[in-house]
């Protein structure tokens, strides 16, 4: 080209002779042709190297080219993008002054493809600042990123650009928008766009986007309706449409429709597509049609791990654990590559004891899946549900990554195995770790609060749940009703119950039991009537709550009626718990003969619960002979339980049979049985203060005992008389009175009067049943000091107000 330039310069000094001019023009044409051919050849070479992935060789050709056009730059940029060398592609773009929308689109598509969505959006904005108009392919790439990552705000921004710049009639772009809105859970906007796209309703990609959107957003019925509409319009389904509609069928167990879709698949020629076959296996398995699921699986040309996982999950879900294990063994024998979705289903089989858990755990370690979070979560859940909490915690501690499911499995496991305090501590560790709770862990932790009657902690969990903005669930609402009811806060339980749009038998039962435990048995019966009127069918647990309510309210006739209804109307066979409630009902009302009669008529063998109810009734009515029979049976059923020994010893003491009482205590000592000491506690200013009988260890001990003396004097003036039957020591009257005055619940109420503001409710919790003397004293204290005292013992709540108790002295 330098030669050509010099010729041009030289020619400018020559006279314009016609012959010389024609010669020179021919020379220029030939030179330009040679140059054009050189660029064309280099571009072809550059393109071939770029497409084959030889990017470094392509760069060498690019650097040696004396002349480069727009195609050259775009090809080299594409070469870098194609292999993911985005930084070098960006540097090249920055050095190209003639970049066009094609250049920008190539780079933006690359950033989208390799997951650099933030940079892709920055490039898009830079492109717009240079006044370059993106193509339909640029917009399609950006919209795919929005779809994959649910970036709805960014998607709406692109939608605005589409409308402003006349792309709203471009079917490629609008299809991207429909897909974006559908996958970002804004199906209504997707539907509006779809209905407005009247010019190309035959586009199967558009229809598939809508069907997929409905299926992924949980509106399976709408997805099925749309698929039928698509079929009626004559639009052909493809390998992407069929898996989506089969997913919708699985979600709502639309087995018959799924079979019809299977027919369409066979007619359409997609019966051998592995993704379609896998979706068919999943649909049949989830609908419980395991024979058809196996048939599709066996006809597959290649073993697909997803399909095998689907049928194993289906077997476990429908109770065929042995079949699931056989399939797993067959899968292992055929050398099908197991993935992290296979083990969770197999570990579920270990929960019911179909296979040794430790052997599966060993296989997990051998195959290298121990550090996969999904498998780790399943291991924690499996060990927790089988009661192996030490193993569950060990697996949890070794997990590199933990999510809310990991924590939920551990917290729920501890709570369900009775380790409620530990479950609360783990929950606190989770919050310190910065993990936000979900509805499932909230339900579990509220259940633990209910068992421990930790009202303030439960309120904090409730408050955090509201602040989190999470949508409530039936499980969480039921746990809230239970927690507030079991903690004696019936107004809060009612408020949650009234706010619930959906209620099930658990909801109603929680309120029935809650009111019964709070001494409002007649309210429980009214809730039962309302429940039946709502069409909710009572279950086994509901009748336990009902009979408990009757026994604690002295409703003998009503109790008989419900007991007969349970068998004759609802076909529920009474269990030991129901018989225990009936014996308790008759025993409390002094009908010990009827209690003995129902004991002899039991269809099931009496368990410890039944004999405890009878022993408690004998304790109240002083029936030593029957009490001795109940205690003897308990000695055999629960030889290390101190309760029957203590109760029988107390009965002897109350009857002034001191030698027999001493004999029982010696028997306990010889067997190494230790009585659980009576303990009461009260929460004040976020601290729990614990007391035992005649406790002298509290920092405010002097004030507390001074307050006790004041209390005794003032309630005696109001008519209180100590009940010596509950002083179970052989001493003089004065000693007995002192012993009664310093029971743990009286010490707790004295502290409550000292530490709480005037008129504030006092909440006391006791691990054993409150004694008759303390019950009487609390009534007087509530009247004399004008306080609402809520005392929760091991059996129920006692609400003391103005000298009366909610139990009506029938406790």
């Amino acid at each position: 080209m330098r030669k050509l330039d010099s010729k041009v310069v030289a020619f400018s000094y020559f006279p314009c002779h016609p012959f010389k001019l024609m010669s020179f023009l021919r020379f220029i044409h030939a030179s330009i042709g040679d140059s054009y051919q050189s660029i064309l050849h280099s571009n072809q070479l550059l393109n071939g190297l770029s497409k084959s992935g030889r990017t470094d060789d392509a760069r060498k050709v690019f650097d040696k080219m004396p002349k480069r056009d727009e195609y050259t730059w775009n090809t080299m940029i594409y070469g870098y993008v194609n292999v993911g060398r985005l930084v070098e592609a960006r540097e090249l773009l920055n050095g190209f002054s003639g970049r066009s929308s094609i250049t920008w689109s190539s780079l933006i598509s690359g950033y989208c493809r390799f997951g650099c969505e933030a940079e892709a959006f920055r490039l898009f904005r830079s492109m717009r600042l240079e006044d370059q108009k993106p193509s339909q392919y640029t917009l399609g790439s950006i919209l795919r990123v929005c779809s994959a990552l649910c970036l709805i705000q960014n998607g709406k921004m692109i939608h605005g650009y589409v409308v402003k710049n006349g792309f709203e009639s471009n079917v490629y772009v609008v299809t991207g928008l429909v897909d974006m809105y559908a996958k970002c859970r804004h199906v209504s906007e997707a539907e509006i766009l779809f209905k407005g796209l009247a010019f190309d309703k035959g586009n199967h990609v558009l229809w598939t986007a809508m069907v997929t959107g409905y299926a992924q957003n949980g509106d399976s019925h709408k997805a099925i309706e749309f698929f039928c509409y698509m079929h009626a319009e004559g639009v052909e389904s493809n390998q992407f449409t069929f898996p989506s509609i089969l997913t919708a069928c699985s979600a709502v167990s639309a087995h018959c429709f799924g079979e019809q879709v299977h027919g369409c698949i066979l007619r359409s020629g997609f019966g051998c597509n592995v993704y379609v076959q896998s979706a068919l296996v999943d649909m049949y398995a989830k609908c419980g049609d395991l024979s058809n699921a196996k048939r599709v699986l066996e006809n597959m040309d290649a073993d697909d791990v997803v399909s095998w996982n689907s049928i194993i999950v289906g077997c476990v879900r429908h109770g065929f654990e042995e079949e699931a294990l056989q399939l797993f063994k067959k899968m292992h024998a055929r050398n099908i590559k197991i993935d992290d979705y296979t083990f969770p289903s197999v570990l579920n089989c270990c929960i019911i004891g179909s296979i040794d858990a430790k052997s599966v755990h060993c296989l997990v370690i051998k195959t290298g899946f121990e550090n996969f979070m999904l498998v780790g979560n399943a291991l924690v859940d499996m060990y927790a549900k089988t009661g192996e909490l030490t193993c569950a915690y060990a697996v949890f501690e070794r997990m590199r990554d933990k999510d809310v499911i990991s924590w939920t499995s551990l917290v729920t496991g501890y709570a369900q195995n009775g380790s409620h305090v530990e479950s609360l501590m783990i929950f606190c560790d989770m919050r310190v770790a910065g993990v936000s709770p979900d509805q499932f862990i909230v339900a579990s932790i509220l259940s633990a609060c209910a068992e421990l009657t930790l009202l303030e902690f439960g309120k904090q969990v409730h408050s955090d749940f509201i602040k989190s903005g999470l949508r409530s669930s039936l499980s969480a609402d039921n746990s809230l009703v239970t927690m507030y009811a079991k903690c004696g806060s019936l107004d809060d339980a009612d408020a949650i119950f009234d706010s619930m749009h959906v209620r099930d038998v658990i909801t109603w039962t929680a309120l029935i039991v809650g009111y019964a435990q709070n001494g409002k048995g007649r309210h429980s019966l009214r809730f039962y009537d309302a429940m039946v009127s709502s069409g909710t069918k009572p279950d086994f647990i509901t009748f336990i709550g009902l009979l408990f309510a009757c026994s604690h309210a002295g409703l003998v006739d009503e109790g008989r009626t419900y007991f007969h209804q349970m068998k004759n109307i609802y076909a529920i066979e009474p269990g030991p718990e129901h018989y225990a409630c009936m014996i308790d009902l008759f025993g409390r009302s002094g009908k010990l003969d009827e209690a003995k009669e129902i004991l002899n008529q039991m269809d099931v063998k009496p368990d410890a619960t039944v004999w405890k109810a009878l022993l408690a009734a004998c304790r109240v009515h002083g029936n030593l002979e029957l009490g001795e029979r109940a205690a003897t049976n308990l000695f055999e059923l629960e030889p290390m339980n101190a309760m029957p020994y203590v109760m029988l010893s107390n009965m002897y003491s109350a009857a002034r049979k001191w030698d027999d009482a001493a004999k029982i205590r010696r028997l306990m000592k010889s067997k190494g049985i230790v009585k659980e000491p009576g303990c009461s506690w009260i929460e004040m200013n976020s601290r729990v203060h614990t007391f035992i009988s005649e406790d002298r260890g509290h920092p405010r001990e002097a004030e507390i005992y001074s307050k006790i003396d004041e209390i005794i004097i003032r309630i005696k003036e109001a008519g209180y008389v100590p009940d010596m039957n509950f002083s179970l020591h052989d001493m003089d009257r004065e000693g007995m009175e002192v012993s009664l005055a310093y029971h743990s619940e009286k010490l707790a109420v004295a502290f409550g009067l000292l530490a709480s503001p005037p008129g504030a409710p006092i909440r006391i919790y006791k691990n054993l049943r409150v004694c008759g003397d303390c019950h009487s004293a609390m009534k007087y204290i509530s009247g004399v000091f004008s306080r609402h005292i809520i005392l929760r013992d091991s059996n129920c709540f006692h609400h003391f107000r103005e000298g009366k108790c909610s139990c009506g002295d029938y406790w």
Side-chain angles (χ1 to χ4, degrees):
M1 290 300 293
R2 287 179 182 173
K3 291 180 180 179
L4 176 65
D5 292 342
S6 62
K7 291 281 186 183
V8 172
V9 172
F11 181 77
S12 63
Y13 294 100
F14 294 152
C16 294
H17 190 279
F19 176 76
K20 291 183 177 179
L21 178 62
M22 288 300 294
S23 299
F24 187 70
L25 288 174
R26 283 193 211 98
F27 169 76
I28 290 174
H29 183 266
S31 299
I32 292 172
D34 291 343
S35 176
Y36 173 76
Q37 289 296 325
S38 174
I39 293 174
L40 181 63
H41 174 72
S42 297
N43 283 346
Q44 287 175 341
L45 179 61
L46 189 68
N47 185 49
L49 292 169
S50 296
K51 284 185 175 178
S52 63
R54 295 170 62 184
T55 314
D56 291 330
D57 291 335
R59 183 59 192 258
K60 289 175 183 176
V61 171
F62 177 84
D63 289 338
K64 288 179 180 179
M65 289 177 67
K67 283 284 184 178
R68 306 182 188 108
D69 59 11
E70 184 183 340
Y71 181 87
T72 312
W73 286 88
N74 288 343
T75 303
M76 192 65 242
I77 289 170
Y78 169 78
Y80 278 127
V81 167
N82 192 42
V83 294
R85 293 164 66 171
L86 302 177
V87 175
E88 290 159 288
R90 179 68 185 271
E91 288 174 353
L92 209 58
L93 178 132
N94 292 338
F96 179 33
S97 58
R99 50 186 177 250
S100 66
S101 63
I102 297 172
T103 319
W104 284 99
S105 295
S106 177
L107 192 58
I108 289 169
S109 298
Y111 274 96
C112 291
R113 179 152 50 97
F114 288 98
C116 304
E117 64 283 346
E119 187 61 28
F121 278 107
R122 277 195 288 271
L123 282 168
F124 182 77
R125 283 192 289 270
S126 299
M127 178 184 182
R128 295 298 305 123
L129 288 172
E130 288 196 6
D131 205 26
Q132 294 282 356
K133 187 177 180 181
S135 68
Q136 60 177 351
Y137 303 108
T138 315
L139 295 171
S141 296
I142 288 287
L143 287 170
R144 278 194 294 276
V145 172
C146 296
S147 299
L149 301 175
C150 290
L151 303 174
I152 185 62
Q153 294 304 322
N154 296 91
K156 285 182 176 180
M157 179 189 76
I158 302 299
H159 190 180
Y161 177 84
V162 165
V163 173
K164 287 179 183 177
N165 291 274
F167 281 98
E168 66 266 36
S169 59
N170 184 299
V171 69
Y172 182 85
V173 175
V174 176
T175 301
L177 282 169
V178 169
D179 182 64
M180 182 275 295
Y181 277 119
K183 288 180 178 173
C184 291
R185 299 187 177 276
H186 284 65
V187 189
S188 56
E189 286 92 332
E191 192 171 337
I192 291 167
L193 280 169
F194 176 86
K195 289 178 178 177
L197 205 63
F199 55 86
D200 194 11
K201 285 285 180 66
N203 182 351
H204 68 272
V205 177
L206 194 62
W207 285 88
T208 299
M210 287 303 301
V211 171
T212 304
Y214 284 122
Q216 290 180 344
N217 284 280
D219 197 347
S220 299
H221 292 291
K222 191 75 174 177
I224 292 170
E225 179 188 329
F226 223 80
F227 180 79
C228 293
Y229 182 28
M230 173 183 178
H231 196 65
E233 289 287 311
V235 181
E236 293 292 329
S237 301
N238 61 13
Q239 70 270 31
F240 302 107
T241 319
F242 286 123
S244 294
I245 193 61
L246 288 169
T247 300
C249 293
S250 303
V252 293
S253 298
H255 179 254
C256 292
F257 191 81
E259 286 184 311
Q260 293 175 39
V261 173
H262 192 176
C264 291
I265 289 167
L266 296 175
R267 285 193 298 273
S268 303
F270 288 101
C272 294
N273 183 282
V274 67
Y275 299 108
V276 175
Q277 288 176 319
S278 182
L280 276 169
V281 172
D282 184 64
M283 183 276 293
Y284 280 125
K286 284 179 179 174
C287 290
D289 187 354
L290 298 178
S291 59
N292 267 325
K294 286 181 190 175
R295 193 172 293 113
V296 176
L297 185 72
E298 288 164 1
N299 289 331
M300 291 179 71
D301 294 330
D303 286 325
D304 174 54
V305 67
V306 176
S307 304
W308 282 84
N309 287 346
S310 295
I311 197 167
I312 289 172
V313 169
C315 288
V316 173
R317 183 174 294 174
H318 291 92
F320 298 102
E321 287 83 6
E322 292 294 339
E323 183 72 20
L325 290 173
Q326 291 304 317
L327 285 164
F328 174 69
K329 290 174 183 176
K330 190 183 289 185
M331 184 181 180
H332 197 51
R334 290 170 68 162
N335 290 323
I336 300 171
K337 190 175 181 181
I338 296 169
D339 65 11
D340 54 325
Y341 292 94
T342 313
F343 281 112
S345 299
V346 177
L347 289 167
N348 269 329
C349 299
C350 301
I351 294 170
I352 62 165
S354 298
I355 191 172
D356 179 51
K358 299 282 173 57
S359 63
V360 179
H361 193 174
C362 287
L363 185 60
V364 167
I365 295 169
K366 285 179 183 177
T367 51
F369 283 101
E370 190 180 23
N371 292 321
F372 282 71
M373 189 161 61
L374 194 65
V375 179
N377 288 347
L379 280 167
V380 172
D381 183 63
M382 180 271 295
Y383 279 126
K385 284 180 177 174
T386 54
E388 303 237 22
L389 297 179
T390 305
C391 293
Y393 193 80
V395 172
F396 177 83
E397 281 291 282
R398 284 199 301 271
M399 288 176 68
R400 293 177 185 172
D401 300 310
K402 304 178 182 80
D403 61 4
V404 68
I405 298 172
S406 320
W407 291 93
T408 300
S409 298
L410 196 64
V411 167
T412 304
Y414 272 91
Q416 289 177 346
N417 283 281
S419 301
H420 302 297
V421 174
E422 289 81 358
S423 71
L424 294 182
M425 292 170 66
I426 295 167
F427 177 76
C428 292
D429 290 341
M430 182 190 90
R431 299 299 287 126
V432 170
V435 179
S436 298
D438 61 10
Q439 295 97 324
F440 301 103
I441 198 168
V442 166
S444 293
I445 212 67
L446 287 170
S447 297
C449 292
E451 293 301 320
L452 297 172
T453 60
L454 294 176
L455 179 61
E456 292 306 317
F457 193 94
K459 282 184 174 180
Q460 290 177 35
V461 174
H462 187 189
S463 175
D464 281 347
F465 183 59
I466 293 170
K467 290 176 184 176
S468 71
L470 286 170
R471 186 179 299 174
S472 192
S473 66
L474 182 60
S475 175
D477 285 341
N478 284 344
S479 295
L480 279 167
V481 172
T482 303
M483 186 274 292
Y484 280 122
K486 283 193 172 183
C487 290
S489 186
L490 293 177
D491 290 340
D492 289 317
D494 283 340
I496 299 296
F497 179 85
D498 292 338
S499 70
M500 293 173 68
H501 300 296
V502 179
R503 301 169 185 142
D504 62 3
V505 66
I506 297 171
T507 321
W508 290 97
T509 301
L511 220 51
I512 289 167
V513 173
Y515 269 89
Q517 287 182 330
N518 282 273
K520 297 185 177 184
R522 293 190 182 276
H523 287 74
S524 295
L525 271 53
R526 286 198 285 272
F527 277 113
Y528 172 75
D529 292 337
M531 175 180 114
V532 173
S533 298
S534 73
T536 305
K537 188 178 177 181
D539 64 6
F540 190 92
I541 307 296
T542 309
F543 280 104
I544 294 176
L546 268 179
L547 295 174
F548 180 89
C550 293
S551 71
H552 282 68
L555 305 172
V556 178
D557 293 336
E558 289 85 345
R560 284 198 193 98
T561 301
Y562 292 127
F563 189 72
H564 291 304
Q565 277 186 9
M566 177 175 63
K567 294 192 290 185
N568 301 329
I569 297 177
Y570 296 102
I572 298 172
E573 286 299 318
E577 301 91 341
H578 301 101
Y579 283 109
C581 287
M582 290 302 293
I583 288 170
D584 191 49
L585 171 65
F586 292 130
R588 286 172 183 272
S589 60
K591 300 179 185 297
L592 289 179
D593 290 337
E594 289 191 59
K596 285 171 63 178
E597 185 180 343
I598 200 168
L599 178 68
N600 295 330
Q601 292 175 354
M602 283 180 64
D603 296 327
V604 293
K605 187 178 179 180
D607 66 0
T609 312
V610 174
W611 291 114
K612 285 175 185 176
L614 184 62
L615 181 58
C618 294
R619 165 74 176 86
V620 172
H621 297 287
N623 190 324
L624 260 176
E625 182 183 351
L626 191 56
E628 286 172 336
R629 179 189 168 191
T632 302
N633 279 282
L634 283 167
F635 294 160
E636 293 178 5
L637 290 170
E638 296 182 348
M640 299 306 291
N641 187 349
M643 177 266 185
Y645 296 93
V646 173
M647 194 167 283
L648 186 58
S649 173
N650 290 348
M651 289 175 70
Y652 285 135
S653 297
R656 297 298 185 261
K657 292 190 173 185
W658 304 112
D659 291 340
D660 289 331
K663 183 180 176 182
I664 294 294
R665 288 195 291 272
R666 285 196 298 273
L667 181 62
M668 283 180 67
K669 188 174 181 180
S670 67
K671 291 185 175 183
I673 300 168
V674 180
K675 174 195 170 185
E676 183 182 6
C679 170
S680 298
W681 63 94
I682 181 171
E683 188 177 355
M684 199 68 65
N685 299 323
S686 300
R687 283 191 59 194
V688 176
H689 301 263
T690 307
F691 302 90
I692 58 173
S693 185
E694 301 185 29
D695 192 354
R696 297 278 178 178
H698 197 276
R700 299 180 66 177
E701 173 228 331
E703 294 176 81
I704 291 169
Y705 276 85
S706 175
K707 191 68 176 178
I708 284 284
D709 294 338
E710 178 196 341
I711 289 169
I712 298 299
I713 291 169
R714 291 183 63 179
I715 63 176
K716 277 186 175 181
E717 290 173 355
Y720 162 72
V721 177
D723 189 342
M724 299 304 170
N725 290 322
F726 293 93
S727 181
L728 305 175
H729 300 285
D730 188 9
M731 57 179 69
D732 59 23
R733 182 177 179 83
E734 185 180 351
M736 288 182 178
E737 279 198 34
V738 170
S739 174
L740 289 173
Y742 299 149
H743 277 191
S744 64
E745 51 266 60
K746 291 192 181 82
L747 295 174
V749 80
F751 175 74
L753 290 169
L754 286 169
S756 63
I762 298 173
R763 294 180 180 272
I764 302 167
Y765 303 95
K766 186 171 183 181
N767 62 332
L768 306 176
R769 284 196 181 192
V770 61
C771 79
D773 180 71
C774 287
H775 188 271
S776 174
M778 291 295 171
K779 290 196 294 182
Y780 282 101
I781 295 168
S782 70
V784 169
F785 290 90
S786 300
R787 290 294 187 106
H788 177 200
I789 301 171
I790 304 105
L791 173 59
R792 163 74 188 267
D793 66 10
S794 63
N795 196 43
C796 65
F797 274 95
H798 300 269
H799 292 258
F800 300 97
R801 291 178 189 266
E802 299 175 354
K804 296 179 182 179
C805 180
S806 59
C807 72
D809 295 335
Y810 199 85
W811 57 281

